[in-house]
Amino acid sequence: MHLSPSALFKAAVALAAAVGCAALSPVAAAAPDAGSRVSLSVPRVSLRVVPVGGEDKPAFVSLAYPQTTDGKLAASSTDKLNVLLKLTDAATSLPFTAQHVALAVANLAAGRAATFLLTSSSEKGSYNLALDLTSEAVLQKLSKPSGNHSLTLYISDARAEPFLYHLGFASLDTSLVPAIPPTEADDVFEPLPPITHKMRPAEKLPAAAVSYVFTGLTLAPWLGLLAVWAMLGANIRNLAESPANFVYGTGFFGALAALLVVFYLYWTQLTLFQLMAYASVVGLFTALLGRQALVSRAEVRAKLAQ
C-alpha cells in the first residue's frame, strides 16, 4: 500500500498525539475494556479570529463534527485565534469531561506540528483555547514559513475511545512583527535642562524694640505674680520655725518649680500625652506636699498661740 507524504505526516501527528495523551494520563494502565468505553462527540466547535487592535471585525466559523473550515480562516501575527468546543457522550448527549483535550497546529510546508492544550471552563464539557499570535512564545512554537496550517483536535480519556477531529485548514502568519524603533517624541528618557535654583532673599527681622516689647509681655504674668505676692506679704521666713515646716515647705516649692519645668519641656519637646503623664505625677506630689506644709504651719501657729 502506497501513502502520500501528506498522509504519512497526518498519521505521524495522530500517532504522536495519541501516545502523548496516553503517557500523560495517570490512569492509563487501569483503563476499562474497549467494549465498556464511551464514544465521544463534538456537537459544536467555534473558531474565532479576533484582531488585537479591535479595528476589524472578528472572523467566525462554527462547526459540528465532521464539518471542516474549508479554508475560511486566516489570521495574521497581530490576531488571536480563539477555539471553543462542546464535548458530549455520543450515546446520551450528556456533557463529558475528558482528561486531555489538545489542538495540533501543523505546518504543511515544514512538516512540523505544535500542540496546545485546551482548558476546561466552568460549564461541564466546555473547553477553550486562546492562541495569541501576538505572543513571541507562541510564534516560536509554530513552524515557519507562514501559510496553510492543519488544525486537528485530539481528545483522550481512560473512559472513552480516543477521538480525532480534523477541523480543517487555516492560513496563519507566523512571522514576527518587527519592533518599531522609538522616535524622539516617544523617548521619555532624555536629558532635562539644568535647574537653576534662585535662593529666596532672607526675610527682614523685626526691630529689636518690638522683640523686647513682646518679651516683656511674655514675662508680664510672672512679674504680676511676684507683685501680688509682695502685696500679700508672702515670705519664706516661716520655713525655719520647725523641721517639718522646712521639709514640707521646701518640698512644696520644689514641686511647683518642677511643674514649671514640665510645662517648659512641653513647650520645647514633649507631646501632649507626655505632658499629661509627667504633670499628673508631679502634680500629685505637689498637692501632698502642699497639704503637709499647711498642716505643719498650722501646728506651729497652735504652739505659738499657747
Side-chain angles (χ1 to χ4, degrees):
M1 180 177 62
H2 176 71
L3 294 176
S4 63
S6 60
L8 288 175
F9 169 64
K10 293 180 181 179
V13 172
L15 179 60
V19 172
C21 291
L24 290 174
S25 176
V27 293
D33 297 336
S36 60
R37 291 182 178 182
V38 300
S39 298
L40 300 179
S41 176
V42 180
R44 184 180 73 252
V45 179
S46 299
L47 302 174
R48 183 185 297 267
V49 177
V50 181
V52 174
E55 298 177 356
D56 301 330
K57 293 184 179 180
F60 178 78
V61 175
S62 181
L63 305 175
Y65 183 79
Q67 295 176 343
T68 60
T69 60
D70 296 331
K72 297 178 181 179
L73 282 180
S76 66
S77 56
T78 58
D79 297 335
K80 290 184 180 180
L81 177 61
N82 295 335
V83 182
L84 177 64
L85 66 91
K86 183 73 174 179
L87 182 62
T88 61
D89 186 339
T92 62
S93 298
L94 295 176
F96 186 87
T97 302
Q99 292 173 330
H100 304 287
V101 180
L103 177 69
V105 182
N107 190 316
L108 300 182
R112 296 176 57 188
T115 303
F116 301 92
L117 294 178
L118 279 75
T119 58
S120 60
S121 60
S122 57
E123 183 180 356
K124 185 178 180 182
S126 296
Y127 294 84
N128 59 77
L129 169 66
L131 196 61
D132 188 0
L133 299 180
T134 64
S135 172
E136 184 176 353
V138 173
L139 292 179
Q140 291 291 348
K141 291 185 64 176
L142 297 176
S143 303
K144 307 295 186 297
S146 304
N148 278 338
H149 287 69
S150 173
L151 305 179
T152 308
L153 192 64
Y154 296 96
I155 302 174
S156 174
D157 192 278
R159 302 161 297 168
E161 295 289 343
F163 186 84
L164 184 149
Y165 182 7
H166 177 62
L167 301 177
F169 300 93
S171 177
L172 302 181
D173 182 6
T174 58
S175 59
L176 292 174
V177 178
I180 301 175
T183 61
E184 294 183 359
D186 298 331
D187 188 8
V188 296
F189 300 101
E190 58 183 8
L192 298 176
I195 300 176
T196 57
H197 185 71
K198 184 178 181 181
M199 300 297 295
R200 187 195 316 180
E203 297 181 359
K204 294 183 178 180
L205 297 177
V210 176
S211 299
Y212 290 138
V213 169
F214 279 94
T215 302
L217 293 176
T218 305
L219 298 177
W222 298 100
L223 299 177
L225 178 63
L226 294 178
V228 171
W229 282 351
M231 292 173 59
L232 296 176
N235 57 78
I236 58 174
R237 292 191 301 269
N238 295 329
L239 290 177
E241 291 183 356
S242 69
N245 200 23
F246 177 78
V247 171
Y248 292 123
T250 305
F252 175 68
F253 287 123
L256 288 177
L259 272 178
L260 296 178
V261 171
V262 170
F263 285 123
Y264 172 77
L265 292 177
Y266 171 64
W267 182 32
T268 57
Q269 62 187 29
L270 294 182
T271 63
L272 178 61
F273 294 103
Q274 292 174 330
L275 169 68
M276 295 173 61
Y278 295 146
S280 60
V281 175
V282 178
L284 177 63
F285 280 102
T286 303
L288 294 177
L289 291 173
R291 179 183 180 281
Q292 291 302 117
L294 292 176
V295 170
S296 62
R297 177 59 184 160
E299 292 176 353
V300 170
R301 287 183 176 180
K303 290 180 180 179
L304 293 177
Q306 291 176 0

